[in-house]
Amino acid sequence: MALWALHGDGRRVQDGAMVAPEERLNWFLTIGFGVQHVMVMFAATMLVPLLTGFPPTTTLFFSGLGTLLFLLITRNRMPSYLGSSFAFLAPLTAAMQQNVSMAARVGAVLVAGALMLVIGIAVKALGARLLESLMPPVVTGAVVIIIGLNLARNAVQQFEKQSGLAVVTFLVILFVGVVLRGTLSRTAVLVGVLVGWLLAAFNGELDPIRLREVLSAPWFGLPAFQTPEIRPALVIAVLPAVVVLIAENVGHLKAVAAVTGRDLDGSAGDVLIGNGLATVLAGTGGGVGTTTYAENIGVMTATRVYSTAAHVVAALVAIMLSFSPKLGAMINTVPPGVISGASLMLYGMIGLVGIRIWLDARIDLSDPVNLMVGGGALVAGIGDLTLSVGDVPLAGIAWGTIIIVVLHPLLRWLRSLTHGTARAQAAGRGPRGREPGNRDQDGQQPGERESDGGKA
């Protein structure tokens, strides 16, 4: 039995019709749609290793391999591409600046994937409602805000070092993403980075050492794999990213369900297991943690082609590209000013996505639990509060997440004892009395992405 049934004559899609996940067009068109998915995911997938110091081709390899594994685990029900997750930016960038070894950074990704895998198994066994009770929007929103804004100072400092390149990159991304329309607007980050990159080459601002590495790098070769090492301090710093990964995956699941008209809630556990395994796989060999990409969901929404065959093609193309060390060396020549021009916007947009989660869930900030616990968590996280527990130093993202994840449910329960359960629960809802759980975990609309505002 074929994995995909041929849609119609395989050459066209009738008005109002769609190509279902288990269907495909002819292979010529399917390959074309697959390459389009590669083009859409490429900018964000390559930007994360640039910012965190991970090998670009290795990240690309595990992105493609993880996508294939994800499609296998979800049994072709959830058409998605798994690219680099922006949720890992803050802790991994901070670790790179502190000269933490690549082995330790990879090990932290491995543990984060393992935790997500365990949560996915629990959700599959106990049902998707488990997520709503463990991570209501007030919690996920706060964690997303913290992760987005924790690196604000670093983005500004890097921006100032090569301000000319950074300003040009920033303005081009703004123009393409806001003024232009269609598919091109979805590639705003890629276009901005390319323009800044070309400007740096024209002005002679590319690092000469890295240019020599491009000349000496072979066209074909294996990705640079890395054996992981577990360091508790870094593991704890990276674990808050799991909250964001879960929010992204569940939000994208609901987005795909909405545009395809299918009930996919029963696949939530499989989605988390698939992404958890993909991230574990990346962590075993040197790649960044992965997440489902809304850019690719946006392409499917625009084209009405949801065939998982196109995502298989995209994954295979990504794997093939990863076997070119020269490509990785070329990507490494992007100067810091260009990267900071993009990151200045991206970090802020991640933070704003967290605020949108609160707005969509109508979180009541006049409620003392939401206001005081949330406020303390934000300041600890954004201000990068760093304290040690024994010999393990914990930075701002870890403390902010601990405060909101641990203290919010505890104080909500204590308040219910003194103010009455019904009144305490109503205080945490929005003005319309809507339960925070009865919504997408990240408040997403189809085709949008948390990490880059429509990219974790």
Side-chain angles (χ1 to χ4, degrees):
M1 180 179 177
L3 285 176
W4 301 279
L6 192 66
H7 178 87
D9 61 4
R11 293 178 295 176
R12 61 180 63 87
V13 182
Q14 299 295 330
D15 291 342
M18 73 172 186
V19 180
E22 66 276 6
E23 296 179 327
R24 66 169 177 87
L25 298 173
N26 65 47
W27 282 113
F28 178 79
L29 291 176
T30 297
I31 291 172
F33 281 111
V35 172
Q36 180 177 240
H37 279 300
V38 172
M39 295 175 64
V40 170
M41 70 82 185
F42 195 82
T45 296
M46 291 292 95
L47 187 60
V48 176
L50 276 175
L51 294 172
T52 58
F54 276 61
T57 53
T58 308
T59 296
L60 191 61
F61 174 80
F62 283 111
S63 169
L65 197 60
T67 297
L68 294 177
L69 178 62
F70 178 86
L71 294 173
L72 178 65
I73 296 296
T74 58
R75 290 165 290 177
N76 276 347
R77 295 176 182 173
M78 177 67 177
S80 291
Y81 188 89
L82 267 60
S84 305
S85 173
F86 280 62
F88 290 92
L89 275 182
L92 292 182
T93 301
M96 179 184 65
Q97 294 167 350
Q98 296 165 7
N99 296 319
V100 176
S101 69
M102 177 59 68
R105 283 180 270 163
V106 171
V109 171
L110 170 62
V111 176
L115 176 59
M116 189 173 183
L117 172 61
V118 171
I119 293 174
I121 294 172
V123 170
K124 187 174 178 63
L126 302 176
R129 293 289 296 180
L130 175 67
L131 289 177
E132 298 175 0
S133 60
L134 292 178
M135 293 189 303
V138 65
V139 172
T140 56
V143 174
V144 173
I145 293 171
I146 290 169
I147 287 178
L149 300 185
N150 177 267
L151 282 180
R153 288 175 296 175
N154 176 260
V156 171
Q157 290 169 358
Q158 294 299 318
F159 195 101
E160 293 170 346
K161 290 180 180 179
Q162 286 185 309
S163 57
L165 288 176
V167 168
V168 170
T169 304
F170 180 77
L171 292 179
V172 171
I173 294 174
L174 272 180
F175 178 82
V176 175
V178 175
V179 178
L180 301 186
R181 302 175 61 183
T183 303
L184 187 60
S185 68
R186 297 183 182 278
T187 62
V189 175
L190 174 61
V191 173
V193 169
L194 286 176
V195 170
W197 196 3
L198 291 173
L199 178 62
F202 180 79
N203 292 336
E205 296 182 75
L206 298 182
D207 188 332
I209 297 177
R210 294 188 175 184
L211 287 176
R212 287 196 293 271
E213 291 174 351
V214 174
L215 295 176
S216 62
W219 281 103
F220 301 102
L222 291 175
F225 297 116
Q226 174 68 59
T227 302
E229 172 190 334
I230 307 300
R231 290 193 186 178
L234 185 55
V235 166
I236 294 173
V238 169
L239 288 184
V242 175
V243 177
V244 183
L245 290 181
I246 293 173
E248 287 178 336
N249 278 258
V250 174
H252 293 158
L253 173 76
K254 292 180 180 293
V256 171
V259 295
T260 59
R262 296 183 173 187
D263 182 3
L264 296 176
D265 284 353
S267 297
D270 289 335
V271 167
L272 297 179
I273 291 172
N275 199 4
L277 282 174
T279 299
V280 167
L281 187 64
T284 60
V288 178
T290 60
T291 187
T292 49
Y293 261 23
E295 293 97 324
N296 298 87
I297 295 175
V299 169
M300 291 189 293
T301 304
T303 61
R304 302 281 291 170
V305 176
Y306 299 97
S307 173
T308 55
H311 292 86
V312 169
V313 171
L316 293 175
V317 171
I319 291 172
M320 286 190 294
L321 290 174
S322 72
F323 284 90
S324 175
K326 192 172 288 292
L327 173 63
M330 289 177 61
I331 294 172
N332 275 331
T333 64
V334 179
V338 174
I339 296 174
S340 64
S343 61
L344 184 75
M345 178 182 299
L346 291 173
Y347 295 157
M349 292 176 73
I350 295 172
L352 290 177
V353 167
I355 294 175
R356 191 184 69 190
I357 292 174
W358 282 359
L359 292 176
D360 289 349
R362 297 181 176 88
I363 299 301
D364 183 8
L365 294 181
S366 67
D367 169 49
V369 180
N370 295 338
L371 184 66
M372 300 176 73
V373 178
L378 291 182
V379 171
I382 298 171
D384 202 24
L385 173 67
T386 303
L387 299 172
S388 295
V389 177
D391 296 329
V392 179
L394 300 182
I397 293 180
W399 283 117
T401 302
I402 290 171
I403 290 172
I404 192 71
V405 171
V406 175
L407 293 185
H408 187 275
L410 175 61
L411 292 177
R412 174 67 62 205
W413 174 71
L414 291 175
R415 184 172 173 81
S416 71
L417 297 180
T418 58
H419 290 69
T421 302
R423 288 176 57 195
Q425 289 180 345
R429 302 174 190 166
R432 299 183 188 179
R434 182 181 177 186
E435 286 285 358
N438 297 333
R439 55 175 293 280
D440 289 1
Q441 283 287 341
D442 59 357
Q444 267 203 315
Q445 298 299 319
E448 297 179 352
R449 183 173 190 265
E450 292 85 340
S451 33
D452 64 5
K455 97 339 169 141

